[in-house]
Amino acid sequence: MSLIVQKYGGSSVANPERIMRVAQRIVKRKQAGNDVIAVVSAMGDTTDELVKLVADITNKPPKREYDMLISTGEQVSVSLLAMAINELGEDVISLTGSQVGIITNELHSKAKILEIKNNRLEKELNEGKIVIVAGFQGVTINNEITTLGRGGSDTTAVAVATALKADLCEIYTDVDGVYTTDPRVVKKASKLPEISYEEMLELASLGANVLHPRSVEIAKEYNIKLAVKSSFYCCPGTYIKEVEELENNIVVSGVACNKSEVKLSLLGLPDRPGIASKVFNRLAGEGVNVDMIIQNVNYDGVNDITFTIDEDDFNGTKELLEEMKESLEYRELIYDLEVAKVSIVGAGMVTNPGVAAKMFEALAQEEVNIGMISTSEIKVSCLINRSEADKAVKAIHAKFNLDKIGER
Ligand code: ADP
Ligand code: ASP
Ligand code: MG
Protein backbone atom coordinates (compact mmCIF):
# COMPACT_ATOMS: atom_id res chain seq x y z
CA MET A 1 0.00 0.00 0.00
CA SER A 2 1.37 3.44 -0.97
CA LEU A 3 0.95 6.66 0.95
CA ILE A 4 0.15 9.58 -1.34
CA VAL A 5 0.04 13.20 -0.25
CA GLN A 6 -1.96 15.40 -2.60
CA LYS A 7 -2.29 19.17 -2.46
CA TYR A 8 -5.17 21.10 -3.98
CA GLY A 9 -4.76 24.84 -4.58
CA GLY A 10 -7.36 27.57 -4.21
CA SER A 11 -8.66 27.40 -7.77
CA SER A 12 -9.14 23.62 -7.46
CA VAL A 13 -11.55 24.09 -4.55
CA ALA A 14 -13.00 27.46 -5.60
CA ASN A 15 -16.67 26.38 -5.48
CA PRO A 16 -18.84 23.43 -4.33
CA GLU A 17 -18.75 21.72 -7.76
CA ARG A 18 -14.97 21.80 -7.80
CA ILE A 19 -14.82 20.55 -4.21
CA MET A 20 -17.03 17.59 -5.23
CA ARG A 21 -14.71 16.89 -8.15
CA VAL A 22 -11.64 16.94 -5.89
CA ALA A 23 -13.47 14.65 -3.45
CA GLN A 24 -14.08 12.15 -6.26
CA ARG A 25 -10.44 12.26 -7.28
CA ILE A 26 -9.28 11.60 -3.71
CA VAL A 27 -11.78 8.77 -3.20
CA LYS A 28 -10.67 7.12 -6.46
CA ARG A 29 -7.09 7.12 -5.22
CA LYS A 30 -8.13 5.67 -1.87
CA GLN A 31 -10.27 2.96 -3.49
CA ALA A 32 -7.29 1.98 -5.66
CA GLY A 33 -5.69 0.81 -2.40
CA ASN A 34 -3.64 3.84 -1.31
CA ASP A 35 -3.54 5.79 1.92
CA VAL A 36 -4.32 9.42 1.06
CA ILE A 37 -3.65 12.69 2.84
CA ALA A 38 -4.92 15.79 1.03
CA VAL A 39 -3.61 19.24 1.92
CA VAL A 40 -5.95 22.02 0.87
CA SER A 41 -5.71 25.79 0.31
CA ALA A 42 -8.47 28.29 0.95
CA MET A 43 -11.28 28.48 -1.65
CA GLY A 44 -10.52 30.67 -4.68
CA ASP A 45 -9.40 34.17 -3.71
CA THR A 46 -10.44 33.87 -0.06
CA THR A 47 -6.98 34.68 1.33
CA ASP A 48 -6.69 37.78 -0.91
CA GLU A 49 -10.08 38.94 0.35
CA LEU A 50 -9.01 38.48 3.97
CA VAL A 51 -5.85 40.50 3.26
CA LYS A 52 -8.01 43.27 1.73
CA LEU A 53 -10.19 43.33 4.85
CA VAL A 54 -7.11 44.06 6.92
CA ALA A 55 -6.25 47.04 4.74
CA ASP A 56 -9.69 48.52 5.50
CA ILE A 57 -8.82 48.52 9.21
CA THR A 58 -5.07 49.19 9.44
CA ASN A 59 -1.81 49.23 7.49
CA LYS A 60 0.10 48.02 10.56
CA PRO A 61 -1.74 44.89 11.72
CA PRO A 62 -0.31 43.10 14.76
CA LYS A 63 1.43 40.07 13.26
CA ARG A 64 -0.30 37.57 15.55
CA GLU A 65 -3.78 38.86 14.67
CA TYR A 66 -2.92 38.93 10.97
CA ASP A 67 -2.13 35.21 11.03
CA MET A 68 -5.22 34.48 13.13
CA LEU A 69 -7.26 36.00 10.33
CA ILE A 70 -5.58 34.85 7.13
CA SER A 71 -5.34 31.24 8.31
CA THR A 72 -9.14 30.97 8.53
CA GLY A 73 -9.78 30.36 4.82
CA GLU A 74 -8.28 26.88 4.99
CA GLN A 75 -10.58 25.83 7.83
CA VAL A 76 -13.56 26.42 5.54
CA SER A 77 -12.18 24.42 2.62
CA VAL A 78 -10.96 21.41 4.65
CA SER A 79 -14.28 20.95 6.38
CA LEU A 80 -16.29 21.29 3.15
CA LEU A 81 -14.01 18.82 1.39
CA ALA A 82 -14.35 16.35 4.28
CA MET A 83 -18.16 16.69 4.04
CA ALA A 84 -17.97 16.03 0.28
CA ILE A 85 -15.89 12.87 0.83
CA ASN A 86 -18.27 11.77 3.56
CA GLU A 87 -21.12 12.14 1.04
CA LEU A 88 -19.25 9.71 -1.21
CA GLY A 89 -19.27 7.16 1.61
CA GLU A 90 -15.61 7.19 2.65
CA ASP A 91 -14.28 7.59 6.17
CA VAL A 92 -12.62 10.99 6.43
CA ILE A 93 -11.44 13.61 8.92
CA SER A 94 -10.31 17.20 8.45
CA LEU A 95 -7.57 18.66 10.67
CA THR A 96 -6.15 22.14 11.21
CA GLY A 97 -2.40 22.71 11.32
CA SER A 98 -2.45 22.80 15.09
CA GLN A 99 -4.53 19.59 15.35
CA VAL A 100 -1.95 17.84 13.16
CA GLY A 101 0.89 19.30 15.25
CA ILE A 102 2.62 21.33 12.54
CA ILE A 103 5.06 23.17 14.79
CA THR A 104 6.67 26.32 13.36
CA ASN A 105 8.99 29.04 14.55
CA GLU A 106 7.53 32.36 15.73
CA LEU A 107 8.03 34.32 12.51
CA HIS A 108 4.43 35.26 11.76
CA SER A 109 3.40 35.37 8.07
CA LYS A 110 6.57 33.59 6.96
CA ALA A 111 6.97 30.93 9.59
CA LYS A 112 9.16 27.89 9.01
CA ILE A 113 8.03 24.39 9.92
CA LEU A 114 10.27 22.96 12.64
CA GLU A 115 8.55 19.64 13.18
CA ILE A 116 5.41 17.70 12.37
CA LYS A 117 4.15 15.54 15.21
CA ASN A 118 2.92 12.74 13.00
CA ASN A 119 1.18 10.59 15.63
CA ARG A 120 -2.26 12.15 14.95
CA LEU A 121 -1.89 11.68 11.18
CA GLU A 122 -0.70 8.09 11.66
CA LYS A 123 -3.57 7.32 14.04
CA GLU A 124 -6.20 8.55 11.57
CA LEU A 125 -4.58 6.72 8.64
CA ASN A 126 -4.37 3.52 10.68
CA GLU A 127 -8.11 3.80 11.28
CA GLY A 128 -8.54 3.73 7.50
CA LYS A 129 -9.50 7.38 7.13
CA ILE A 130 -8.69 9.83 4.38
CA VAL A 131 -7.08 12.81 6.13
CA ILE A 132 -7.65 16.38 4.95
CA VAL A 133 -5.11 18.88 6.29
CA ALA A 134 -5.42 22.67 6.28
CA GLY A 135 -2.49 24.04 4.30
CA PHE A 136 -0.50 27.21 4.96
CA GLN A 137 -0.88 27.16 8.76
CA GLY A 138 1.04 25.96 11.76
CA VAL A 139 1.34 26.62 15.45
CA THR A 140 4.23 27.70 17.67
CA ILE A 141 5.26 25.80 20.77
CA ASN A 142 3.37 28.51 22.67
CA ASN A 143 0.19 27.60 20.80
CA GLU A 144 0.05 30.72 18.60
CA ILE A 145 -1.25 30.30 15.04
CA THR A 146 1.27 31.09 12.30
CA THR A 147 1.20 31.07 8.50
CA LEU A 148 3.94 29.96 6.14
CA GLY A 149 3.90 32.77 3.56
CA ARG A 150 1.56 33.19 0.58
CA GLY A 151 1.34 30.00 -1.44
CA GLY A 152 2.55 28.05 1.60
CA SER A 153 0.14 25.11 1.30
CA ASP A 154 2.61 23.49 -1.11
CA THR A 155 5.11 23.51 1.75
CA THR A 156 2.60 21.95 4.15
CA ALA A 157 2.09 19.13 1.64
CA VAL A 158 5.78 18.41 1.14
CA ALA A 159 6.50 18.67 4.87
CA VAL A 160 3.69 16.20 5.64
CA ALA A 161 5.01 13.89 2.89
CA THR A 162 8.47 14.08 4.46
CA ALA A 163 7.26 13.46 8.02
CA LEU A 164 5.29 10.38 6.98
CA LYS A 165 7.81 9.16 4.38
CA ALA A 166 5.13 9.28 1.67
CA ASP A 167 5.77 7.56 -1.65
CA LEU A 168 4.69 10.58 -3.71
CA CYS A 169 3.60 14.19 -3.26
CA GLU A 170 1.31 15.53 -5.98
CA ILE A 171 0.57 19.25 -6.30
CA TYR A 172 -2.74 19.74 -8.13
CA THR A 173 -3.29 23.20 -9.56
CA ASP A 174 -4.89 25.14 -12.42
CA VAL A 175 -2.06 24.43 -14.89
CA ASP A 176 -1.05 20.96 -16.02
CA GLY A 177 2.59 21.26 -15.02
CA VAL A 178 5.60 23.54 -14.82
CA TYR A 179 6.05 25.61 -17.99
CA THR A 180 9.04 27.44 -19.45
CA THR A 181 7.40 30.58 -18.11
CA ASP A 182 4.02 31.63 -16.73
CA PRO A 183 1.59 30.44 -19.45
CA ARG A 184 -0.73 33.31 -18.51
CA VAL A 185 1.95 35.74 -19.72
CA VAL A 186 3.37 33.80 -22.68
CA LYS A 187 0.72 31.75 -24.47
CA LYS A 188 3.39 29.78 -26.33
CA ALA A 189 5.18 28.62 -23.18
CA SER A 190 6.08 24.91 -23.28
CA LYS A 191 5.32 22.36 -20.61
CA LEU A 192 8.40 20.74 -19.08
CA PRO A 193 7.90 16.99 -18.54
CA GLU A 194 10.67 17.08 -15.93
CA ILE A 195 12.91 19.59 -14.18
CA SER A 196 15.66 19.32 -11.55
CA TYR A 197 15.08 20.31 -7.93
CA GLU A 198 17.77 23.01 -8.29
CA GLU A 199 16.18 24.66 -11.31
CA MET A 200 12.69 24.41 -9.84
CA LEU A 201 13.93 25.95 -6.59
CA GLU A 202 15.43 28.88 -8.50
CA LEU A 203 12.33 29.35 -10.67
CA ALA A 204 10.04 29.25 -7.64
CA SER A 205 12.25 31.64 -5.64
CA LEU A 206 12.43 34.01 -8.60
CA GLY A 207 8.67 34.34 -8.98
CA ALA A 208 7.26 31.24 -10.69
CA ASN A 209 4.56 30.85 -8.07
CA VAL A 210 3.41 27.46 -9.34
CA LEU A 211 5.34 26.05 -6.35
CA HIS A 212 6.20 27.66 -3.02
CA PRO A 213 10.04 27.81 -2.86
CA ARG A 214 10.27 26.23 0.56
CA SER A 215 8.31 23.19 -0.68
CA VAL A 216 10.96 22.52 -3.32
CA GLU A 217 13.76 23.06 -0.81
CA ILE A 218 12.28 20.45 1.54
CA ALA A 219 11.53 18.02 -1.31
CA LYS A 220 15.14 18.30 -2.47
CA GLU A 221 16.58 17.88 1.00
CA TYR A 222 14.51 14.78 1.79
CA ASN A 223 14.37 13.43 -1.76
CA ILE A 224 10.57 13.50 -1.94
CA LYS A 225 9.09 12.52 -5.31
CA LEU A 226 7.22 15.64 -6.35
CA ALA A 227 4.85 16.17 -9.29
CA VAL A 228 2.81 19.17 -10.49
CA LYS A 229 -0.47 18.20 -12.15
CA SER A 230 -3.76 19.66 -13.28
CA SER A 231 -6.75 19.24 -11.02
CA PHE A 232 -9.01 19.67 -14.05
CA TYR A 233 -7.50 17.32 -16.66
CA CYS A 234 -5.84 13.94 -16.47
CA CYS A 235 -2.40 14.43 -18.00
CA PRO A 236 1.07 13.44 -16.89
CA GLY A 237 2.25 16.78 -15.41
CA THR A 238 5.82 17.69 -14.50
CA TYR A 239 8.13 15.58 -12.33
CA ILE A 240 10.75 17.26 -10.20
CA LYS A 241 13.87 15.10 -9.98
CA GLU A 242 17.57 14.96 -9.21
CA VAL A 243 19.57 16.49 -12.05
CA GLU A 244 21.29 13.14 -12.76
CA GLU A 245 17.89 11.56 -13.44
CA LEU A 246 16.94 14.03 -16.19
CA GLU A 247 16.83 12.86 -19.77
CA ASN A 248 17.83 16.21 -21.31
CA ASN A 249 20.17 18.86 -20.03
CA ILE A 250 18.69 22.13 -21.26
CA VAL A 251 20.78 25.32 -21.21
CA VAL A 252 17.88 27.58 -20.18
CA SER A 253 14.82 25.84 -18.74
CA GLY A 254 12.68 28.81 -17.90
CA VAL A 255 12.03 32.50 -17.42
CA ALA A 256 10.59 33.81 -14.16
CA CYS A 257 9.34 37.22 -13.17
CA ASN A 258 8.79 38.77 -9.76
CA LYS A 259 6.61 41.87 -9.66
CA SER A 260 6.47 42.16 -5.90
CA GLU A 261 9.91 43.46 -5.08
CA VAL A 262 10.82 47.08 -4.40
CA LYS A 263 14.18 48.83 -4.61
CA LEU A 264 15.71 51.02 -1.88
CA SER A 265 18.93 53.04 -2.02
CA LEU A 266 20.88 54.51 0.86
CA LEU A 267 22.85 57.40 -0.61
CA GLY A 268 26.00 58.87 0.88
CA LEU A 269 26.84 56.22 3.48
CA PRO A 270 30.25 56.57 5.16
CA ASP A 271 32.75 54.26 3.45
CA ARG A 272 34.06 52.31 6.45
CA PRO A 273 33.97 48.73 7.69
CA GLY A 274 30.81 47.65 9.52
CA ILE A 275 28.26 49.88 7.80
CA ALA A 276 26.77 47.23 5.47
CA SER A 277 26.79 44.74 8.32
CA LYS A 278 24.86 47.20 10.52
CA VAL A 279 22.19 47.79 7.86
CA PHE A 280 21.64 44.19 6.85
CA ASN A 281 21.93 42.66 10.32
CA ARG A 282 19.19 44.97 11.52
CA LEU A 283 16.96 44.02 8.57
CA ALA A 284 17.67 40.32 9.14
CA GLY A 285 16.71 40.75 12.78
CA GLU A 286 13.30 42.02 11.63
CA GLY A 287 12.86 39.00 9.35
CA VAL A 288 13.29 41.05 6.16
CA ASN A 289 14.73 39.04 3.26
CA VAL A 290 17.11 41.15 1.21
CA ASP A 291 17.48 39.98 -2.36
CA MET A 292 19.74 41.85 -4.83
CA ILE A 293 22.42 44.13 -3.36
CA ILE A 294 24.86 46.47 -5.10
CA GLN A 295 27.32 48.89 -3.58
CA ASN A 296 28.79 51.46 -5.92
CA VAL A 297 32.38 52.69 -6.11
CA ASN A 298 33.54 54.94 -3.30
CA TYR A 299 33.52 58.70 -4.02
CA ASP A 300 34.74 61.32 -1.50
CA GLY A 301 34.70 58.78 1.34
CA VAL A 302 31.05 57.82 0.86
CA ASN A 303 29.18 54.97 -0.83
CA ASP A 304 25.67 54.23 -2.08
CA ILE A 305 24.03 50.86 -1.35
CA THR A 306 21.01 49.72 -3.35
CA PHE A 307 19.02 46.61 -2.52
CA THR A 308 15.67 44.96 -3.15
CA ILE A 309 13.14 43.48 -0.71
CA ASP A 310 9.62 42.12 -0.89
CA GLU A 311 7.03 44.90 -1.12
CA ASP A 312 5.22 43.53 1.96
CA ASP A 313 8.30 44.49 3.98
CA PHE A 314 8.55 47.99 2.50
CA ASN A 315 6.72 50.08 5.14
CA GLY A 316 8.53 48.48 8.06
CA THR A 317 11.94 48.69 6.36
CA LYS A 318 11.49 52.34 5.39
CA GLU A 319 10.56 53.21 8.96
CA LEU A 320 13.52 51.28 10.32
CA LEU A 321 16.02 52.93 7.99
CA GLU A 322 14.62 56.37 8.76
CA GLU A 323 15.08 55.64 12.47
CA MET A 324 18.68 54.59 11.77
CA LYS A 325 19.52 57.72 9.75
CA GLU A 326 21.66 59.25 12.47
CA SER A 327 23.53 56.11 13.45
CA LEU A 328 24.20 55.13 9.84
CA GLU A 329 25.07 58.73 8.86
CA TYR A 330 23.63 58.38 5.35
CA ARG A 331 22.54 61.42 3.35
CA GLU A 332 19.31 60.26 1.76
CA LEU A 333 16.99 57.27 1.40
CA ILE A 334 15.30 56.86 -1.99
CA TYR A 335 13.11 54.06 -3.30
CA ASP A 336 11.40 52.75 -6.41
CA LEU A 337 8.17 50.77 -5.95
CA GLU A 338 7.72 50.09 -9.67
CA VAL A 339 10.42 47.53 -10.36
CA ALA A 340 10.30 43.91 -11.53
CA LYS A 341 12.93 41.21 -11.60
CA VAL A 342 13.15 39.00 -14.68
CA SER A 343 15.35 35.93 -14.51
CA ILE A 344 16.49 33.01 -16.61
CA VAL A 345 17.25 29.65 -15.02
CA GLY A 346 19.08 26.65 -16.41
CA ALA A 347 21.43 23.97 -15.10
CA GLY A 348 23.35 23.94 -18.40
CA MET A 349 24.13 27.66 -18.18
CA VAL A 350 27.37 27.25 -16.27
CA THR A 351 29.04 25.38 -19.14
CA ASN A 352 27.66 27.58 -21.93
CA PRO A 353 29.26 31.02 -22.24
CA GLY A 354 27.25 33.90 -23.63
CA VAL A 355 23.93 33.06 -21.99
CA ALA A 356 23.78 36.28 -19.95
CA ALA A 357 24.81 38.32 -23.01
CA LYS A 358 21.95 36.78 -24.98
CA MET A 359 19.48 37.76 -22.25
CA PHE A 360 20.81 41.36 -22.19
CA GLU A 361 20.51 41.47 -25.99
CA ALA A 362 16.85 40.43 -25.82
CA LEU A 363 16.21 43.28 -23.37
CA ALA A 364 18.20 45.77 -25.45
CA GLN A 365 16.21 44.88 -28.58
CA GLU A 366 13.05 45.83 -26.70
CA GLU A 367 14.73 48.97 -25.32
CA VAL A 368 14.30 47.75 -21.76
CA ASN A 369 16.78 49.35 -19.38
CA ILE A 370 18.53 47.15 -16.81
CA GLY A 371 18.79 48.64 -13.30
CA MET A 372 20.57 45.85 -11.43
CA ILE A 373 22.02 42.45 -12.35
CA SER A 374 22.71 39.39 -10.23
CA THR A 375 23.93 35.95 -11.25
CA SER A 376 24.58 32.49 -9.86
CA GLU A 377 25.74 29.31 -11.57
CA ILE A 378 22.27 28.52 -12.79
CA LYS A 379 20.49 31.88 -13.04
CA VAL A 380 20.78 35.47 -14.29
CA SER A 381 18.41 38.16 -12.94
CA CYS A 382 17.84 41.71 -14.15
CA LEU A 383 15.90 44.41 -12.34
CA ILE A 384 13.80 46.45 -14.77
CA ASN A 385 10.78 48.74 -14.85
CA ARG A 386 7.62 46.90 -13.76
CA SER A 387 5.55 48.24 -16.66
CA GLU A 388 7.95 46.52 -19.09
CA ALA A 389 8.03 43.17 -17.30
CA ASP A 390 5.66 41.16 -19.53
CA LYS A 391 7.27 42.51 -22.68
CA ALA A 392 10.70 41.53 -21.32
CA VAL A 393 9.60 38.00 -20.39
CA LYS A 394 8.15 37.46 -23.88
CA ALA A 395 11.32 38.75 -25.55
CA ILE A 396 13.66 36.58 -23.46
CA HIS A 397 11.43 33.52 -23.90
CA ALA A 398 11.53 33.99 -27.68
CA LYS A 399 15.28 34.69 -27.75
CA PHE A 400 16.03 31.30 -26.15
CA ASN A 401 13.45 29.50 -28.36
CA LEU A 402 11.67 28.24 -25.27
CA ASP A 403 8.41 27.75 -27.15
CA LYS A 404 10.15 24.92 -29.01
CA ILE A 405 11.63 23.22 -25.98
CA GLY A 406 9.50 20.11 -26.39
CA GLU A 407 10.92 19.64 -29.92
CA ARG A 408 14.54 19.25 -28.82
P1 ADP B 1 -2.68 27.21 -6.58
O1 ADP B 1 -3.78 28.06 -6.08
O2 ADP B 1 -3.15 25.92 -7.17
O3 ADP B 1 -1.58 27.01 -5.58
P2 ADP B 1 -1.07 29.20 -7.94
O4 ADP B 1 -1.81 30.35 -8.50
O5 ADP B 1 -0.34 29.38 -6.67
O6 ADP B 1 -2.08 27.98 -7.84
O7 ADP B 1 -0.02 28.63 -9.01
C1 ADP B 1 -0.44 28.29 -10.30
C2 ADP B 1 -0.16 29.46 -11.23
O8 ADP B 1 1.24 29.68 -11.32
C3 ADP B 1 -0.57 29.24 -12.68
O9 ADP B 1 -1.92 29.56 -12.89
C4 ADP B 1 0.38 30.13 -13.46
O10 ADP B 1 -0.24 31.32 -13.89
C5 ADP B 1 1.48 30.48 -12.46
N1 ADP B 1 2.83 30.23 -12.96
C6 ADP B 1 3.87 31.10 -12.88
N2 ADP B 1 4.95 30.59 -13.44
C7 ADP B 1 4.63 29.36 -13.90
C8 ADP B 1 5.36 28.34 -14.59
N3 ADP B 1 6.65 28.48 -14.89
N4 ADP B 1 4.71 27.20 -14.92
C9 ADP B 1 3.41 27.03 -14.60
N5 ADP B 1 2.66 27.96 -13.95
C10 ADP B 1 3.27 29.11 -13.60
N1 ASP C 1 -4.35 30.29 0.89
C1 ASP C 1 -2.96 30.67 0.98
C2 ASP C 1 -2.65 31.74 -0.07
O1 ASP C 1 -3.52 32.14 -0.82
C3 ASP C 1 -2.03 29.51 0.87
C4 ASP C 1 -1.98 28.81 -0.46
O2 ASP C 1 -2.84 29.05 -1.32
O3 ASP C 1 -1.08 28.01 -0.66
O4 ASP C 1 -1.54 32.20 -0.12
MG1 MG D 1 0.11 28.16 -5.03
Side-chain angles (χ1 to χ4, degrees):
M1 185 186 273
S2 298
L3 169 61
I4 297 171
V5 176
Q6 303 189 324
K7 179 260 171 176
Y8 291 93
S11 51
S12 312
V13 292
N15 56 46
E17 293 74 43
R18 289 188 184 179
I19 290 179
M20 277 317 295
R21 224 182 307 158
V22 166
Q24 283 156 1
R25 201 181 264 265
I26 294 170
V27 166
K28 211 166 139 192
R29 231 27 203 273
K30 171 77 180 165
Q31 288 176 348
N34 303 292
D35 274 338
V36 185
I37 299 177
V39 173
V40 189
S41 298
M43 291 170 73
D45 297 329
T46 304
T47 313
D48 286 334
E49 281 153 21
L50 293 169
V51 169
K52 270 192 219 132
L53 274 180
V54 176
D56 291 341
I57 303 273
T58 172
N59 57 12
K60 262 180 117 183
K63 291 179 177 176
R64 176 190 184 277
E65 304 308 331
Y66 188 78
D67 277 355
M68 276 293 267
L69 177 74
I70 66 164
S71 60
T72 57
E74 273 71 10
Q75 204 165 324
V76 175
S77 54
V78 286
S79 45
L80 285 174
L81 181 57
M83 289 177 204
I85 291 173
N86 185 58
E87 275 295 298
L88 297 175
E90 281 292 333
D91 227 0
V92 59
I93 185 165
S94 68
L95 298 171
T96 62
S98 89
Q99 285 174 318
V100 170
I102 299 179
I103 309 299
T104 74
N105 64 12
E106 319 252 323
L107 215 56
H108 283 287
S109 298
K110 38 183 143 172
K112 275 199 172 166
I113 297 176
L114 302 174
E115 182 194 358
I116 296 186
K117 298 189 182 299
N118 44 15
N119 31 4
R120 179 74 192 265
L121 288 172
E122 273 167 356
K123 173 184 164 288
E124 304 299 349
L125 288 175
N126 288 341
E127 287 176 13
K129 290 181 196 150
I130 294 170
V131 186
I132 312 295
V133 174
F136 180 52
Q137 52 179 260
V139 67
T140 67
I141 46 167
N142 297 321
N143 231 1
E144 298 293 355
I145 291 176
T146 52
T147 60
L148 309 178
R150 296 303 307 273
S153 299
D154 300 335
T155 297
T156 309
V158 176
V160 165
T162 304
L164 289 175
K165 301 194 170 52
D167 299 279
L168 175 64
C169 181
E170 298 173 320
I171 306 290
Y172 285 95
T173 182
D174 59 357
V175 273
D176 58 355
V178 178
Y179 278 68
T180 47
T181 194
D182 189 340
R184 285 191 218 191
V185 176
V186 180
K187 295 273 169 296
K188 285 199 215 154
S190 324
K191 190 170 95 183
L192 297 161
E194 54 178 17
I195 185 166
S196 67
Y197 289 116
E198 284 84 357
E199 290 167 300
M200 191 62 239
L201 180 55
E202 284 287 4
L203 279 176
S205 310
L206 293 166
N209 56 0
V210 62
L211 282 177
H212 192 239
R214 184 82 187 123
S215 70
V216 189
E217 210 174 307
I218 300 173
K220 176 173 151 50
E221 191 176 341
Y222 295 93
N223 213 357
I224 296 293
K225 267 174 88 179
L226 188 62
V228 176
K229 297 181 173 188
S230 164
S231 58
F232 304 111
Y233 310 102
C234 283
C235 40
T238 300
Y239 285 82
I240 294 109
K241 302 175 170 176
E242 291 291 353
V243 73
E244 304 82 46
E245 295 166 6
L246 298 185
E247 287 184 7
N248 293 310
N249 200 356
I250 301 166
V251 178
V252 171
S253 303
V255 184
C257 181
N258 183 341
K259 294 182 189 167
S260 61
E261 281 193 14
V262 295
K263 180 174 89 171
L264 295 103
S265 300
L266 289 167
L267 306 182
L269 279 163
D271 184 27
R272 61 167 186 259
I275 291 288
S277 131
K278 206 164 169 182
V279 174
F280 295 113
N281 263 328
R282 186 69 198 276
L283 295 183
E286 294 295 318
V288 176
N289 272 330
V290 177
D291 182 23
M292 301 170 105
I293 305 177
I294 49 170
Q295 176 172 306
N296 76 344
V297 182
N298 168 311
Y299 57 91
D300 299 334
V302 291
N303 271 327
D304 300 337
I305 293 184
T306 300
F307 58 95
T308 62
I309 57 169
D310 198 274
E311 63 188 1
D312 287 347
D313 289 324
F314 175 70
N315 286 335
T317 302
K318 179 170 168 277
E319 227 167 78
L320 199 76
L321 292 172
E322 281 166 355
E323 269 169 33
M324 292 173 80
K325 187 163 196 270
E326 234 168 74
S327 69
L328 289 174
E329 299 170 52
Y330 66 83
R331 191 182 71 246
E332 194 183 355
L333 167 68
I334 58 170
Y335 44 88
D336 185 350
L337 307 184
E338 287 303 317
V339 294
K341 186 177 66 178
V342 283
S343 310
I344 51 172
V345 171
M349 208 182 270
V350 65
T351 48
N352 282 272
V355 176
K358 200 164 160 182
M359 177 185 189
F360 303 152
E361 197 179 298
L363 294 174
Q365 280 163 351
E366 292 295 322
E367 302 205 347
V368 173
N369 195 41
I370 302 171
M372 291 170 90
I373 298 171
S374 77
T375 61
S376 79
E377 283 196 341
I378 65 162
K379 70 124 204 240
V380 182
S381 299
C382 296
L383 199 74
I384 61 169
N385 203 310
R386 201 174 288 182
S387 62
E388 297 180 309
D390 289 355
K391 176 171 85 171
V393 169
K394 284 180 191 143
I396 296 166
H397 195 268
K399 190 83 177 170
F400 287 96
N401 289 327
L402 295 183
D403 52 332
K404 300 191 182 68
I405 215 160
E407 296 168 19
R408 285 176 199 175

